[in-house]
Amino acid sequence: MMKSGRESAGAGILFGPCHVLTNYHVASPNGRISRNQTIKFYFGEGSDDSFAGHVDATPVDWGSFHTSQTCGEDWAVLRLSRCIGTETPYA
């Protein structure tokens, strides 16, 4: 799961030790993505239905999605500040 600011939360897939694939609308609560923003990526199963941990992520590439579209390039790739692929499985 990921949180971008206070307004957006959603799912992401760890597809390598250092990268996450998610939706544009998850990574951009205000409709814009920037390489300067920080997104928290929560991963793994902890005790009491919590996550095992979290790591900061930054967008490195994304589609040209607009919130008024019903379809389109609703994707974003994030790079993790710490590669967690050795701690948790990835696709």
Side-chain angles (χ1 to χ4, degrees):
M1 178 165 106
M2 292 179 305
K3 290 185 180 179
S4 178
R6 298 183 188 270
E7 302 173 13
S8 182
I13 298 169
L14 183 65
F15 71 90
C18 303
H19 290 89
V20 172
L21 176 65
T22 189
N23 295 98
Y24 184 106
H25 73 268
V26 170
S28 62
N30 63 0
R32 295 182 177 186
I33 291 181
S34 164
R35 285 185 170 81
N36 297 325
Q37 77 187 87
T38 300
I39 299 164
K40 294 217 179 284
F41 178 66
Y42 294 83
F43 63 92
E45 291 184 40
S47 59
D48 301 325
D49 294 327
S50 65
F51 294 99
H54 74 274
V55 62
D56 289 343
T58 54
V60 293
D61 201 7
W62 52 87
S64 57
F65 181 75
H66 189 273
T67 54
S68 65
Q69 296 173 321
T70 56
C71 62
E73 296 183 13
D74 188 13
W75 61 270
V77 174
L78 313 176
R79 177 161 177 78
L80 303 177
S81 62
R82 179 173 55 89
C83 298
I84 61 170
T86 58
E87 303 170 37
T88 190
Y90 58 89

